[in-house]
Amino acid sequence: MSGLNQLIIAPILLPLLTAALMLLIGEKHRWMKARLNLLSTFAGLAIAVSLLIWVRNQGQAESIGVYLPGNWAAPFGIVLVVDHLSALLLVLTGIVGSCALLFARARWDGAGASFHALFQIQLMGLYGAFLTADLFNLFVFFEVLLAASYGLLLHGSGRARVKAGLHYIAVNLFASSLFLVGAAMLYGVTGTLNMADLALKIPLVPEADRGLLHAGAAILAMAFLAKAGIWPLNFWLVPAYSSASAPVAALFAIMTKVGLYAVLRLWSLLFSGQAGASAHFGGDWLVYGGLATLAIAAVSILAAQRLERLAALSILVSAGTLLAAVGFGQPLLTGAALFYLASSTLALCALFLLAELVERSRSANEAPLEDEEGAMPSPLESLHPPKGINLDDEQKAVIGQIIPWTMAFLGLSFIACALLIIGMPPLSGFIGKLNLISALFNPQGLGMAPTQSLGAAGWVLVTLLLLSGMAALIAFGRVGIQRFWKPEERPSPLLRRYECLPIVILLSLCVFLSLKAEPLLRYTQDTAAGLQAPDAYINAVMATRPLPGPTTANAEVQP
């Protein structure tokens, strides 16, 4: 990876340097910080896309790039790795970050201090978590993104945000403590924290120490699963996400995937079929935990009244689906789950942004925007009905009224988000769920004999996928009727271009995923195949050698 080798560290360094520069600029030049934030975020997305294109264009065995920031060989030094899985999540992070920032530029970035610096630090933590290849630095990047998320969650103040933020901080500090305990136990048993080296050491652990190894892995998994939103450790997520400002909640839509990524990466790497007596340790718990999360979230969605809460509960539905699918440990099912992850992340991000605009329409613009420059045109007034049109008791046309285009935009966007999250055709949410169900009903593709049955867990997952979709259909239908069809006399909300553009981009990307589903499914299936056979990842990390220094190079050329 000679040409792009140095580019692996760029997604981490770029937001770090940008945040440092913003702190030097100060709050007086907020416009400059906003533009610098946009430039840096777009540049990070471009770098992520470049890494994904490189990974995709390489052969399966050569599609792993390794960078040694300290020029120390593994397992002693810091290692950054980009492969199919990390590249996919880097691109999703860049897309979500760019759209959330565009939306925030309308007014939210001025609701508190240091928004732009915290935003860049959050991106740095996310990019670093997806690139690092050792547990210690995974913990560091977890803490970086969580520290930034504490400030972003409280951005804009308010009683609800402070209350939810305190719960959010307490739970994540407890999860971080579990992370340290679990990592320390793994280090005590194996003597290493490098993920590739752990994969080599775990099969060699003596039987007397295997119980301690499994206990450490279980404690570590609890930390990741708490951050991923598994039931019953997810009580903090819905209040926190539904109380956050719209752009922050949209950015948090990708943050939950960090816990899922850590579970998938470590479980497939450390407890693969090559892990000896520890092979597939904990897989059943992932399946059962995912099914429980999916079931509880589906029931909770039926009671949701606010659109923000509906979006937060939809994150739990997505998390439960992904955890259960990953726990089966089958490439075909994991590939379908990764496609579903991409589609659901984009749809949920759009829904969080849309929720604020829809709720604004209920308040009839009682709180006007500070600066009306750039606002959308005012809605058209209903015309007087021509002769022959039926009138109601208040002399208004029963039919033939002109729908203000702002409400039409909100309504159509709401329908698109609902179709994506429910999993109805023809959008990518339907394709993701269809491939999940298809994989479950394909025993040969799951590595089983044709005579083997799906199993109780498989049937439960299929049932819950269908029932959760029906629950979401009922919930979205009810909220849609209340927000768009309920007869109320109120003007349409004023919308800014910065607020509409991100929603259009996200939904357009979901349409693009629907039209180009086959290439992405091939990519996710290749990703799942690489996770199933981690030898390429292990060999790439352990075989990377430090670059020779000037002294070494001079010594080699001397006679």
Side-chain angles (χ1 to χ4, degrees):
M1 194 178 176
S2 55
L4 291 176
N5 193 37
Q6 307 297 323
L7 204 59
I8 298 177
I9 199 172
I12 300 173
L13 287 182
L14 181 63
L16 174 62
L17 297 176
T18 303
L21 182 58
M22 288 176 179
L23 293 176
L24 293 176
I25 292 175
E27 290 296 320
K28 292 183 179 180
H29 304 285
R30 187 170 290 174
W31 63 271
M32 186 184 301
K33 296 168 71 173
R35 295 181 181 180
L36 184 61
N37 195 358
L38 280 171
L39 180 62
S40 177
T41 304
F42 291 155
L45 174 59
I47 293 170
V49 171
S50 300
L51 291 172
L52 184 139
I53 292 174
W54 181 89
V55 166
R56 184 56 183 163
N57 290 339
Q58 304 302 307
Q60 184 66 30
E62 296 83 18
S63 61
I64 299 175
V66 182
Y67 181 73
L68 307 176
N71 207 32
W72 284 79
F76 306 107
I78 299 172
V79 182
L80 301 177
V81 178
V82 60
D83 62 351
H84 279 71
L85 179 60
S86 56
L88 174 63
L89 289 167
L90 289 178
V91 172
L92 283 176
T93 301
I95 293 172
V96 169
S98 299
C99 292
L101 182 57
L102 279 174
F103 190 93
R105 284 290 293 117
R107 61 175 179 171
W108 274 111
D109 61 338
S114 302
F115 173 84
H116 295 289
L118 288 171
F119 194 92
Q120 286 296 308
I121 294 173
Q122 176 87 41
L123 290 180
M124 172 196 167
L126 289 168
Y127 285 137
F130 294 138
L131 286 171
T132 188
D134 65 270
L135 286 179
F136 178 78
N137 286 286
L138 182 60
F139 173 78
V140 170
F141 286 118
F142 257 97
E143 294 308 300
V144 167
L145 68 91
L146 287 174
S149 71
Y150 300 153
L152 290 174
L153 177 60
L154 298 175
H155 184 75
S157 69
R159 180 183 178 89
R161 289 195 184 99
V162 172
K163 181 179 178 181
L166 291 176
H167 293 163
Y168 174 81
I169 292 172
V171 170
N172 280 282
L173 287 177
F174 176 71
S176 297
S177 301
L178 292 178
F179 194 146
L180 283 177
V181 172
M185 293 177 69
L186 288 181
Y187 182 79
V189 174
T190 62
T192 184
L193 289 176
N194 182 277
M195 296 178 188
D197 198 34
L198 277 167
L200 295 175
K201 297 286 181 60
I202 284 178
L204 306 178
V205 171
E207 191 62 33
D209 295 335
R210 196 161 296 279
L212 187 61
L213 170 72
H214 290 173
I219 293 174
L220 193 65
M222 291 293 289
F224 296 142
L225 293 173
K227 297 174 188 294
I230 193 172
W231 183 83
L233 305 176
N234 53 17
F235 60 89
W236 59 272
L237 190 146
V238 175
Y241 282 39
S242 58
S243 300
S245 63
V248 172
L251 185 60
F252 284 5
I254 189 66
M255 196 170 68
T256 309
K257 306 303 185 289
V258 178
L260 292 166
Y261 164 83
V263 170
L264 177 57
R265 171 71 74 193
L266 292 175
W267 185 66
S268 62
L269 190 62
L270 307 188
F271 300 105
S272 65
Q274 305 168 10
S278 298
H280 306 301
F281 168 73
D284 291 340
W285 287 102
L286 292 179
V287 174
Y288 299 144
L291 294 176
T293 304
L294 179 56
I296 297 298
V299 173
S300 301
I301 275 182
L302 292 173
Q305 300 294 327
R306 292 174 50 234
L307 194 52
E308 296 93 338
R309 189 171 181 84
L310 183 57
L313 287 168
S314 297
I315 284 185
L316 295 182
V317 172
S318 171
T321 302
L322 292 168
L323 281 172
V326 165
F328 280 90
Q330 305 295 343
L332 193 63
L333 194 57
T334 302
L338 291 174
F339 181 93
Y340 173 79
L341 181 149
S343 173
S344 63
T345 300
L346 297 177
L348 288 168
C349 179
L351 183 59
F352 274 117
L353 299 180
L354 184 66
E356 178 183 313
L357 306 185
V358 173
E359 294 301 324
R360 187 188 302 169
S361 70
R362 301 182 68 199
S363 62
N365 286 327
E366 292 175 0
L369 301 179
E370 296 177 2
D371 180 15
E372 296 303 330
E373 182 183 357
M376 292 298 181
S378 57
L380 297 173
E381 296 292 334
S382 297
L383 302 179
H384 292 291
K387 263 187 178 180
I389 296 296
N390 295 327
L391 302 178
D392 61 11
D393 294 337
E394 297 180 2
Q395 299 299 306
K396 292 183 180 179
V398 176
I399 59 173
Q401 290 186 350
I402 297 177
I403 300 176
W405 81 270
T406 52
M407 291 303 294
F409 169 78
L410 294 179
L412 291 174
S413 300
F414 177 83
I415 291 173
C417 289
L419 290 177
L420 285 163
I421 295 171
I422 295 168
M424 296 183 67
L427 298 180
S428 55
F430 169 74
I431 298 174
K433 287 194 174 183
L434 181 64
N435 277 274
L436 285 169
I437 296 174
S438 176
L440 287 168
F441 280 111
N442 184 7
Q444 287 180 290
L446 292 178
M448 299 185 296
T451 56
Q452 287 182 274
S453 62
L454 187 57
W459 281 110
V460 172
L461 179 55
V462 171
T463 304
L464 288 177
L465 283 173
L466 298 176
L467 291 180
S468 64
M470 293 180 63
L473 176 61
I474 295 171
F476 276 98
R478 182 181 64 248
V479 172
I481 291 172
Q482 292 174 347
R483 299 300 186 270
F484 297 101
W485 289 352
K486 190 175 179 180
E488 291 184 8
E489 290 297 329
R490 60 173 184 264
S492 298
L494 292 175
L495 305 181
R496 295 179 182 275
R497 292 178 177 86
Y498 275 135
E499 294 172 324
C500 296
L501 181 59
I503 297 173
V504 172
I505 292 174
L506 290 165
L507 295 179
S508 299
L509 287 173
C510 291
V511 173
F512 179 78
L513 289 183
S514 306
L515 298 175
K516 299 292 184 180
E518 185 179 358
L520 181 58
L521 279 169
R522 285 201 302 266
Y523 182 93
T524 57
Q525 291 299 337
D526 290 344
T527 303
L531 293 171
Q532 184 74 8
D535 287 342
Y537 183 97
I538 297 170
N539 294 335
V541 172
M542 302 306 294
T544 302
R545 303 264 68 87
L547 296 176
T551 305
T552 305
N554 293 335
E556 289 177 353
V557 299
Q558 290 178 359

